[in-house]
Amino acid sequence: MPFRELSALDSHYMALALRLARRGQGWVEPNPMVGAVLVRNATILGQSWHHSFGGPHAEINALANTAAPRNATLYVTLEPCCHTGKTGPCTQAIIAAGIKRVVVAMQDPNALMCGKGIAELRRAGILVDLGTLEAQARELNRPFIKWITTQQPYVIAKWAQTLDGCVADRNGKSQWISSPESRELVHQLRGRVDGIMVGIGTALADDPVLTARPAKRPVCRTATRIILDRQCRLPLNSQLVRTAATTATLVFHHKSLTGTGLRRARKLMQLGVQCIGIGVDKNGTLDPAAALTELGRHNFTNILVEGGPKVLGSMLQKNLLDEGLVFIAPKLAGDQNARHAVEGIRLDSINQAAGVKFAKPQCVGPDILLRWQKNEA
């Protein structure tokens, strides 16, 4: 019977592979984050991760860093590919290297691929074990899994609020509720997502730039600024339009624009703004699900929604929010006319409120960061 490492060691090396995989966050999308570790006789021979989209996969990088991989065990966080895309099949490289055993955290969720890589390795006589730290691997690649299985991007909601739940004053102004430390963290997040979405209300009230300007880390990618703007009211002199020539800017508008709205859309496009028409829901507002479908078609794997309350309310009502980051500032507004994070939903009973799963709270400067994920069905 082939030698099998103890499960505790399997978990140890797979945890290392998962930590390596996370280094690709923001660089590899729309590919998944993947890490790989090569081990023989309890000695690490090589390790690496998928560094960038279009580049070699984690397994290939790990093999390249290993002088003599024959009879080693390969720990990899995602099923090795067996097809030729931008790179060659990893399964063939694993077989050619003489790997004895492959420990895989999770199958590839792509319906065209799922299980085929593992089957090819087994046909070659390689022992394959599946499922070590699978839950952690799925958590790591939640955006990829959603995109590859639904063709819609993973949606992260973000807002800052006072302790009593206010996200803006009665005039719609929100600068600044959160601390500089919280805003720095948001800039880091902006620097690794594919798109940043706001409604036209936020665009008019704040005149934002919606770019990543982190002080401590390099920006992985430049997100497309996305505005839900039914009648193309985005001002031509706004910061978003003035920077559209250098930073991708997309306006979703009503697909049946006429008159003034149509003329505004044409002017926006002349200034470098991409305009796409979509349908409206039964309330006459732009359908965010239609916007997400369009974004998924263009390989957006994750987007950050920064408001406003009506956009978040519409997305919550349609169960489109996958994750949230709420920065709670140590402030009390006490104004019944101030704006709240999510608006536009009518509840007949508090028992109808959407339930979420909380992660451990985190202190960010003087603020508290609450991360949540929606409850899976």
Side-chain angles (χ1 to χ4, degrees):
M1 182 175 180
F3 172 78
R4 300 170 71 92
E5 286 89 342
L6 296 173
S7 60
L9 282 179
D10 286 344
S11 296
H12 170 76
Y13 293 125
M14 189 62 77
L16 172 58
L18 287 165
R19 291 195 298 272
L20 291 168
R22 189 173 289 280
R23 296 187 186 183
Q25 188 174 51
W27 300 100
V28 302
E29 291 83 354
N31 283 353
M33 291 174 276
V34 183
V37 177
L38 279 159
V39 178
R40 186 174 58 230
N41 298 329
T43 299
I44 295 176
L45 305 178
Q47 56 186 325
S48 195
W49 65 96
H50 183 30
H51 289 227
S52 61
F53 178 70
H57 290 183
E59 304 95 312
I60 303 302
N61 286 331
L63 287 168
N65 293 333
T66 306
R70 184 163 295 277
N71 293 324
T73 294
L74 171 66
Y75 294 87
V76 62
T77 58
L78 182 70
E79 176 183 4
C81 69
C82 59
H83 65 280
T84 298
K86 291 184 177 295
T87 61
C90 293
T91 50
Q92 289 301 307
I94 293 168
I95 294 168
I99 300 301
K100 177 183 66 174
R101 178 178 178 237
V102 177
V103 181
V104 181
M106 62 173 285
Q107 282 189 346
D108 190 330
N110 187 341
L112 299 176
M113 173 66 196
C114 187
K116 293 181 179 179
I118 291 173
E120 183 172 319
L121 293 174
R122 285 174 173 162
R123 284 196 300 269
I126 296 174
L127 179 64
V128 180
D129 289 320
L130 175 66
T132 299
L133 301 190
E134 180 177 359
Q136 293 89 325
R138 289 187 171 278
E139 179 65 26
L140 176 70
N141 275 311
R142 282 169 61 94
F144 170 75
I145 293 170
K146 182 186 178 185
W147 175 71
I148 203 66
T149 57
T150 70
Q151 291 301 296
Q152 287 201 349
Y154 187 82
V155 182
I156 306 168
K158 186 279 301 181
W159 69 83
Q161 67 176 54
T162 61
L163 191 58
D164 54 339
C166 297
V167 298
D169 62 26
R170 62 174 58 200
N171 299 310
K173 301 298 181 182
S174 60
Q175 297 175 340
W176 294 105
I177 290 175
S178 60
S179 66
E181 293 89 344
S182 292
R183 298 198 294 274
E184 165 67 17
L185 191 59
V186 171
H187 279 293
Q188 292 176 21
L189 178 60
R190 285 180 175 182
R192 63 172 177 81
V193 296
D194 296 322
I196 303 167
M197 178 183 286
V198 297
I200 184 59
T202 296
L204 293 174
D206 295 345
D207 190 23
V209 182
L210 298 182
T211 54
R213 301 181 296 279
K216 298 178 181 178
R217 298 183 182 179
V219 172
C220 303
R221 60 212 304 112
T222 301
T224 297
R225 288 91 57 88
I226 305 161
I227 304 93
L228 298 178
D229 183 6
R230 190 178 188 277
Q231 292 296 325
C232 286
R233 294 191 292 141
L234 186 65
L236 301 183
N237 64 347
S238 65
Q239 294 193 87
L240 288 167
V241 176
R242 295 203 313 267
T243 57
T246 56
T247 305
T249 307
L250 168 61
V251 166
F252 282 113
H253 60 76
H254 193 300
K255 63 182 179 181
S256 300
L257 280 180
T258 59
T260 301
L262 183 59
R263 290 191 293 272
R264 287 173 179 157
R266 289 170 176 167
K267 289 181 179 178
L268 288 171
M269 287 188 285
Q270 290 172 357
L271 294 172
V273 177
Q274 183 181 8
C275 295
I276 298 178
I278 58 175
V280 296
D281 58 23
K282 62 183 180 180
N283 298 318
T285 58
L286 286 179
D287 183 2
L292 293 181
T293 297
E294 190 68 31
L295 292 171
R297 287 181 55 245
H298 288 84
N299 292 345
F300 282 70
T301 56
N302 50 50
I303 65 166
L304 178 64
V305 180
E306 297 201 22
K310 291 182 179 179
V311 170
L312 288 170
S314 179
M315 298 189 105
L316 179 64
Q317 192 168 40
K318 294 176 172 64
N319 196 30
L320 299 176
L321 300 178
D322 298 297
E323 183 179 329
L325 288 83
V326 183
F327 295 88
I328 303 176
K331 301 174 182 177
L332 291 166
D335 187 345
Q336 66 178 2
N337 294 315
R339 302 295 302 275
H340 292 268
V342 181
E343 297 178 353
I345 298 175
R346 177 176 174 175
L347 291 182
D348 295 321
S349 167
I350 197 63
N351 293 325
Q352 297 173 341
V356 299
K357 295 184 298 183
F358 278 127
K360 184 178 179 179
Q362 175 185 348
C363 290
V364 183
D367 304 334
I368 294 175
L369 170 58
L370 286 179
R371 295 177 181 266
W372 56 266
Q373 294 176 348
K374 74 176 180 181
N375 288 322
E376 302 294 343

